[in-house]
Amino acid sequence: GSTVITVTGTHLQTIQEPKVRAKYGGVETNNYCTVVNDSTMTCLAPGLIYNKPNPPDGALRPDEFGFIFDQVSSLLVLNSTPFTHYPNPTFDLLGTSGILEVKPGSPIILKGKNLIPPAPGNNRLNYTVLIGESPCLLTVSENQLLCDSPDLTGEQRVVIQVGGLEYYPGILHIYSDNTLTLPAIIGIGAGGGVLLIAIIAVLIAYKRKTRDADRTLKRLQLQMDNLESRVALECKEAFAELQTDIQELTNDMDGVKIPFLEYRTYTMRVMFPGIEEHPVLKELDSPANVEKALRLFSQLLNNKMFLLTFIHTLEAQRSFSMRDRGNVASLLMAALQGRMEYATVVLKQLLADLIEKNLENRNHPKLLLRRTESVAEKMLTNWFTFLLHRFLKECAGEPLFMLYCAIKQQMEKGPIDAITGEARYSLSEDKLIRQQIDYKQLTLMCIPPEGEAGTEVPVKVLNCDTVTQVKDKLLDAVYKGIPFSQRPQADDMDLEWRQGRLTRIILQDEDVTTKIESDWKRLNTLAHYQVTDGSLVALVQKQVSAYNIANSFTFTRSLSRYESLLRTSSSPDSLRSRAPMITPDQETGTKLWHLVKNHEHSDQREGDRGSKMVSEIYLTRLLATKGTLQKFVDDLFETVFSTAHRGSALPLAIKYMFDFLDEQADKRSITDPDVRHTWKSNCLPLRFWVNVIKNPQFVFDIHKSSITDACLSVVAQTFMDSCSTSEHRLGKDSPSNKLLYAKDIPNYKSWVERYYRDISKMPSISDQDMDAYLVEQSRLHGNEFNTLSALNELYFYINKYKEE
């Protein structure tokens, strides 16, 4: 009965004697309600009668709760009980008989139970204690009220009010002290004087301390305000970016011809990544007897029993490394390019042997084809590489190229650090600039190489771009649609800023104006040169000067330690695609930087802490970038995982290999659909598509930067996760690239399952039809590689393991 309930509705003034009711343990209680106006009334909550001994301390819910409104029966019992009842407070008597003697101004303790309800949210009850007619100042705890009594004397009645309840714990006898004696007054005065002096001393010290604390607080407040405004700006920008559409990206691609690599270059980049001039592309310069021996070796390789024994013997050798396995598989496929039907028979037998070995070793069947640990697995990759070239050109190449272009353009819309490769726009958390970079977009009017005045091309750049980054953007715009290998390279061009007819300034990443602070040297940007919007620039052939020679020598020397590491990267243009590492110049000891210093750099003064932000605030940019690129990722996945394409049938190789895997599973009584699904996923998406998605430069004549590579790796990881049958349990500590596509992966998984199901329903391809198709492929591409050169390379392994 201590809580007021407010009820709102309509036509409430028509109700006669409204009541609120509750029922608990078969006993019903109710309370009257008061109608305030036609839309509002207030009711005192009905109490619950607990008719068993020892009522509980905790909360109770009524069995029924409702309202009694005239003859309305539908409101007698509501569907859900909206209120929780807690026990009413109870109070002990004052003293032993309800009378307590106290001095004026001394505290009064009123003991009781249930004074603070154990409700969630730290709710408190509002108590009022009256001593006579005067309220007193209260402190409430769980089992007592502490009351500072007013300055009264005589007998005073104590009343405790809480909600709609009143309690009368007894009467106070307040009696005044006798008048103090003179010695007591002198003693008190002396003590008070000493105390006053001590208080004044404490106040002076406190005032000084407070002034210092106020100064510190103001400084911290200023830093906090600055940080808050930057966080707000970042969130506002992120929100705006999430609304950005992809119209600008798609418009830029209109009319651009896709620069597909020719068949030979494409297959070489997959088979022998990173090796441009491979022996299999050249004529073998050898004596006649060697050539004759190699032709006899070729006859041996065309004997299935010999070839299988040759491969199995090599794989049994402990010194036959992973790299050797991949190399032998690629050389064999190059040598057998003209006999694809025979290569397919051998591949099927090797795969069957691999499955048998996998089951004999009691490995989990799902691990089959997961890693390149056998010649068969690399041969399978190469087999699909040969047979899916046409499908890439006619169908899947376009969405892959569009995705690459969309990623490149989206990355270049924001700052990219020329040294670390980190960018404002990224799908990869590792390559995300985690701080605020102030920049502006500029439009430069570019005169192309060997172009005349009046042929200027407008190009969008950023004022924080380095000179090399600007040159790359200008070349991309001027040579749009022209294969990368046929364009001039940024390193071979100079950027001239033309001001009026006579003034021409050559801009460079490093020159005499470069800013050096302690041991850090910052690359020059357009902002450094104060280049303005609408400026006229020209790309001209680089002039060799003494400064350029010295400068390139210094830069080359600082990179020399990492050359071997960079060359082993999978991409043939890997030196170009990797960002240079932050290495101190060996002579001057200075380190290069562009937008952000490397993460180990700790030259931050203590006072600079206020300018730092929690780096996780920038993760929203991953989401903005993902939203912009979503259509391109969906288009690629939909094309790859679809049996009906625009004017192209499903490649025979896919149906043929999937049927072979199903046949092997049937032969070994593997009925688990997850195992079959995993075999197919490891066979085609993992072995072929992931490689192509991560390395579009295997298919197109393009340049892949480190930030584009990082974003494509996230897409490739999503592609792999979509093919997996296992459930991914994700939480706040999961990798960001998994969380980024967490909602999309179930949809992609359904595409993969439908794709495998549709392929299995298609009519089988007979060996005769497949052989005819393979013979045609051999006829088309049989002369792409020099077979004798491939055999000569293979003979190295014959020689090495002669005894075995």
Side-chain angles (χ1 to χ4, degrees), residues 563-635:
E563 254 185 4
S564 58
L565 170 71
L566 293 172
R567 285 218 175 94
T568 58
S569 159
S570 63
S571 163
D573 55 350
S574 55
L575 271 169
R576 210 168 261 296
S577 71
R578 289 278 188 107
M581 297 191 177
I582 304 158
T583 56
D585 189 291
Q586 290 168 359
E587 283 180 12
T588 62
T590 54
K591 291 170 278 188
L592 286 176
W593 74 289
H594 173 206
L595 299 173
V596 289
K597 292 177 181 173
N598 64 327
H599 305 303
E600 290 75 38
H601 178 61
S602 57
D603 294 352
Q604 285 281 355
R605 296 188 303 278
E606 191 59 35
D608 290 344
R609 280 192 63 81
S611 65
K612 291 184 178 177
M613 267 201 285
V614 178
S615 59
E616 278 67 24
I617 194 79
Y618 297 109
L619 291 180
T620 50
R621 289 185 191 157
L622 300 179
L623 202 59
T625 309
K626 184 232 177 191
T628 310
L629 300 174
Q630 186 69 51
K631 173 188 178 295
F632 300 96
V633 175
D634 286 351
D635 283 354

Side-chain angles (χ1 to χ4, degrees), residues 499-511:
Q499 300 169 322
R501 286 187 176 180
L502 301 173
T503 311
R504 297 185 177 191
I505 302 169
I506 291 183
L507 310 184
Q508 293 176 316
D509 284 342
E510 293 182 67
D511 58 17

Side-chain angles (χ1 to χ4, degrees), residues 664-698:
Q664 290 295 313
D666 290 339
K667 191 184 284 187
R668 288 161 177 78
S669 305
I670 295 172
T671 54
D672 184 355
D674 279 5
V675 172
R676 293 175 181 235
H677 181 107
T678 305
W679 282 9
K680 291 171 185 177
S681 295
N682 292 348
C683 158
L684 175 66
L686 183 67
R687 303 220 64 76
F688 176 74
W689 286 118
V690 166
N691 196 23
V692 168
I693 291 169
K694 285 180 76 169
N695 299 290
Q697 76 279 7
F698 287 178

Side-chain angles (χ1 to χ4, degrees), residues 162-425:
V162 54
L165 304 174
E166 284 192 352
Y167 297 88
Y168 304 93
I171 294 171
L172 287 178
H173 277 183
I174 306 172
Y175 58 94
S176 58
D177 285 331
N178 295 329
T179 308
L180 292 171
T181 60
L182 185 63
I185 291 170
I186 293 169
I188 290 170
V194 172
L195 186 62
L196 188 62
I197 293 167
I199 288 170
I200 290 168
V202 168
L203 281 173
I204 291 168
Y206 175 73
K207 186 71 178 170
R208 282 186 181 170
K209 238 356 183 182
T210 305
R211 199 163 54 242
D212 291 347
D214 281 348
R215 271 201 216 105
T216 307
L217 190 64
K218 276 181 185 169
R219 192 170 71 248
L220 287 173
Q221 192 66 47
L222 201 65
Q223 289 179 352
M224 286 292 288
D225 290 346
N226 181 31
L227 195 57
E228 273 180 22
S229 64
R230 291 177 64 206
V231 170
L233 179 67
E234 178 60 32
C235 292
K236 197 173 177 182
E237 281 181 7
F239 179 76
E241 285 166 3
L242 284 169
Q243 313 309 316
T244 305
D245 64 4
I246 53 171
Q247 203 65 38
E248 194 180 332
L249 293 177
T250 47
N251 287 348
D252 254 15
M253 292 311 303
D254 290 345
V256 174
K257 189 180 175 213
I258 300 174
F260 281 106
L261 291 169
E262 59 179 10
Y263 179 88
R264 179 189 295 185
T265 313
Y266 150 75
T267 49
M268 284 301 294
R269 287 192 174 184
V270 178
M271 290 196 298
F272 306 105
I275 305 171
E276 285 294 302
E277 298 295 324
H278 197 279
V280 299
L281 298 176
K282 303 171 194 164
E283 286 289 328
L284 185 67
D285 185 17
S286 59
N289 63 330
V290 171
E291 197 170 309
K292 184 182 176 186
L294 288 174
R295 293 197 185 282
L296 291 170
F297 179 39
S298 174
Q299 288 175 25
L300 272 178
L301 288 183
N302 284 322
N303 179 310
K304 183 183 167 188
M305 184 59 68
F306 173 81
L307 182 50
L308 291 171
T309 309
F310 169 62
I311 292 168
H312 288 319
T313 305
L314 286 179
E315 287 183 327
Q317 309 312 313
R318 295 187 67 175
S319 62
F320 190 62
S321 65
M322 293 293 165
R323 188 171 184 150
D324 291 336
R325 288 163 207 262
N327 197 32
V328 166
S330 295
L331 290 169
L332 279 173
M333 290 304 282
L336 298 175
Q337 172 82 86
R339 286 205 58 194
M340 280 299 292
E341 73 285 5
Y342 171 62
T344 305
V345 170
V346 171
L347 174 61
K348 283 169 65 180
Q349 185 58 54
L350 286 170
L351 289 173
D353 293 346
L354 190 63
I355 292 168
E356 194 68 50
K357 183 182 172 186
N358 183 277
L359 295 174
E360 277 176 13
N361 293 345
R362 298 195 177 174
N363 293 334
H364 197 288
K366 285 187 180 181
L367 295 175
L368 183 75
L369 307 175
R370 180 68 57 87
R371 295 180 292 273
T372 307
E373 293 181 340
S374 65
V375 171
E377 287 163 296
K378 179 65 175 174
M379 279 181 76
L380 180 61
T381 301
N382 297 337
W383 188 78
F384 275 125
T385 302
F386 290 167
L387 300 182
L388 296 187
H389 176 251
R390 184 178 164 193
F391 179 68
L392 271 173
K393 279 199 85 164
E394 293 179 358
C395 197
E398 184 185 340
L400 177 61
F401 184 68
M402 292 295 281
L403 173 64
Y404 158 78
C405 291
I407 288 173
K408 185 174 186 294
Q409 288 180 40
Q410 180 63 16
M411 299 311 106
E412 289 179 355
K413 271 173 64 179
I416 301 174
D417 193 293
I419 304 291
T420 65
E422 294 174 359
R424 175 188 173 87
Y425 297 109

